[in-house]
Amino acid sequence: MRYGGEGRARLLLIILIVTSLFLITLDLRGVKILDGVRNGTQNVLAPFQKAGSTVVTPFRNFFSDVTHLGRTRNQIEKLKADNARLRNKLLERKSADAQLTQLKSVLDLAGKAGYKVLATRVISQGASTSFSQTITIDAGTSSGVRPNMTVISGEGLVGVVKESFLNSALVMLATDPDFKVGVRIAGTQQIGILSGRGSKRAELQLLDNQKIVKVGDVLLARGSTNNRPFVPGIPIGVISAVDSSAGSIAQSATVMLYPNFSALGVVSVVLNAGKNNPGDALVPVAPQPTPVPTVTIYATPTPSASAK
Amino acid sequence: MLVRQFSISTLIFVFVFLIQESVINQLRLPGGGFSLPILIALTWAALSTPTVGALTGFISGFFMDLSQSSSGAMGHWTLLMILACYAVAFLGFGNDNLRGNPITNIILVSSASVLCLVAFVITGFLLGVSTGSFSRVLITILGNGIWAFLVTPLILPVVTRLHRALFGNQAHI
C-alpha cells in the first residue's frame, strides 16, 4: 500500500463496503437467495452443533455452577423435576378421573392437554451478541417440525419455531424482544398481548380496563387460528408487578415467565393440538407447605430423684 | 493480499466460525459471553495493513451474518466488521509502539470489540432490529468487553503466530 497502491487499497475498501451495503439492501428487500444461503449454513452447522453439545455439556455445567454460586446443576435439575412433579400431581387430583387416566406422565405438560408433541434436545443457543433470544433444537422438517409451531417445556411456553431445516430448527424464545403472544388471564378470561423484553420478565398489555389484574394472576396462551403459531391453554407466566399509573388507556403489567430459559435442555414441539381446548386446566398449582407436627413432651420428676 | 493468503485466511475464519457456533455459544457464559470471530478478526487486523484488515473484516463479518442466530440483516455485520478492522489496522499500521506492544493491542482489540457491539445496536436500531431492553443491551456490551479483555491475551499469541506464518514478518509481537 505504501508503494503506490493507495488508490487500489481505497478502491478495494469502497468495493467491500458497497458489497456489504448491497447485501443489506437485498436482505431488507426479502431476496430469497440470502435466506437459502443462511439455511444451507445451518444445515451444515447442525452436525457440528450436535457434536459440540455433547462435548461441551460438562463445561457448560461448570460455568453454570459458577454462576449459581456453588449450587450444582444436578441438584437444581432434580429439585425442579420434583417441584414440577408435585405441582402436576396436585393439579391432577383436582381434575376429573377420566382426564387423570389419560395422562401418561405427570411431568408431561403436553400430555395433560392432549397435544401430540415431539421431544427434542437443545443443541445450541443463539449468540447473545446478536441481541436475539433463540435456541436450536435437534429436530427439523424430517421429523415434522414446521415454522410457527409452539415449543413448550414442562413448565410452560418456551417459544415458537422460527425456521425449520432438515434436521434442526431455530426457536424464537418467549424472551426475544420480537416475541409477541396473545394471552388470557386464567379465571377472569381477560385478554392481552405479551411481549418479550430480552429477560425472564415480559411485558403484558391488556386490551381493556374492565377488570383489574393483580399480582399472582396466571397467564395462559390464548391460541391462534388452526393452533399456529400458538396452541391454547399453555401456561406462560405469572404477573409479578402491575403498572397502576393513572391515565393510562390500557393496563400493563410485568410477567415472570415460567420456564428457566438459561437451563433449557429438552423441549417439546407441539405437532398437533387436536380440537380440545384445555381451558384453565394447565394452570400450575402453587406448592402447598407441609404442616410441621407439634410434639409436646411432659416431664415428671421421679420420687427417688426428688428424695435425694 | 494474495489469493493463497486470502484462501487460507478464509479457512481459518471458517474454523473460528465453527468453534463459535458449536462450542462457545453452547457454554452459556455469564455476562453474554464473547464473540471469537470479532476478537480474532480485530486481532488479525491489528497486525495487518489496512487493506488486509478490511478484507479480514469482510470475511469474518460475512460468516457472522451467515449465523442463524444473527438478528441483523445479511451484510450488517459485514459492513461493521469491514469498518472496524480497517480502523484497527489503520491505527496500528506503521506504528511500532502500538503494534509491538501486546498490552496496547489487547486494549485496542477489547475497545474495538465493545465499539463494534455499540455500532451494531445503533445501526440495528436504524435498520429495525430489536435488541431488547436498555439494561439487557448494556449488560451484554459490558460483559462482552470484560470477556474480550480476558480472552484476547489468550488468543493473541496464537493469532500472531498464524499471521506471521501467513504474511511473513509483518507482526512484531
Side-chain angles (χ1 to χ4, degrees), chain A residues 1-2 9-10 12-13 16-17 19-21 23-25 27-28 34-35 37-39 41-42 44-45 48-54 56 59-60 63-64 67 122-135 162-163 165 170 176-178 197-199 261-265, chain B residues 17-18 20-35 38 49-52 54-55 58 62 64-80 82-83 86 90 93-94 117 120-121 127-133 136-138 140-141 144 147:
Chain A
M1 196 176 115
R2 287 277 170 94
R10 281 184 191 146
L12 178 69
L13 181 66
L16 291 175
I17 290 172
T19 307
S20 61
L21 289 171
L23 285 172
I24 293 171
T25 310
D27 195 59
L28 292 178
L34 294 179
D35 289 339
V37 173
R38 271 186 172 167
N39 292 352
T41 308
Q42 180 56 37
V44 172
L45 276 176
F48 291 100
Q49 289 175 328
K50 276 186 188 176
S53 177
T54 310
V56 160
F59 304 101
R60 181 194 297 161
F63 283 114
S64 182
T67 312
V122 177
I123 57 172
S124 179
Q125 193 172 33
S128 60
T129 47
S130 66
F131 300 99
S132 64
Q133 307 274 322
T134 56
I135 54 171
K162 190 178 170 189
E163 299 276 353
F165 313 103
L170 188 74
D176 190 281
D178 279 336
R197 287 205 312 199
S199 66
F261 292 93
S262 63
L264 290 174
Chain B
F17 175 64
L18 278 177
Q20 176 71 31
E21 291 291 320
S22 57
V23 179
I24 294 169
N25 279 355
Q26 303 194 36
L27 285 173
R28 297 171 190 177
L29 297 166
F34 60 93
S35 172
I38 291 181
T49 62
T51 311
V52 174
L55 274 170
F58 180 82
F62 185 72
M64 289 168 71
D65 278 326
L66 284 179
S67 171
Q68 273 297 332
S69 60
S70 174
S71 59
M74 187 83 180
H76 191 175
W77 271 117
T78 310
L79 177 64
L80 289 177
I82 290 169
L83 296 174
Y86 181 83
F90 187 79
F93 188 59
L117 288 182
F120 182 84
V121 172
L127 291 170
V129 177
S130 300
T131 50
S133 62
R136 188 75 191 170
V137 170
L138 200 64
T140 305
I141 291 173
N144 195 271
W147 275 110

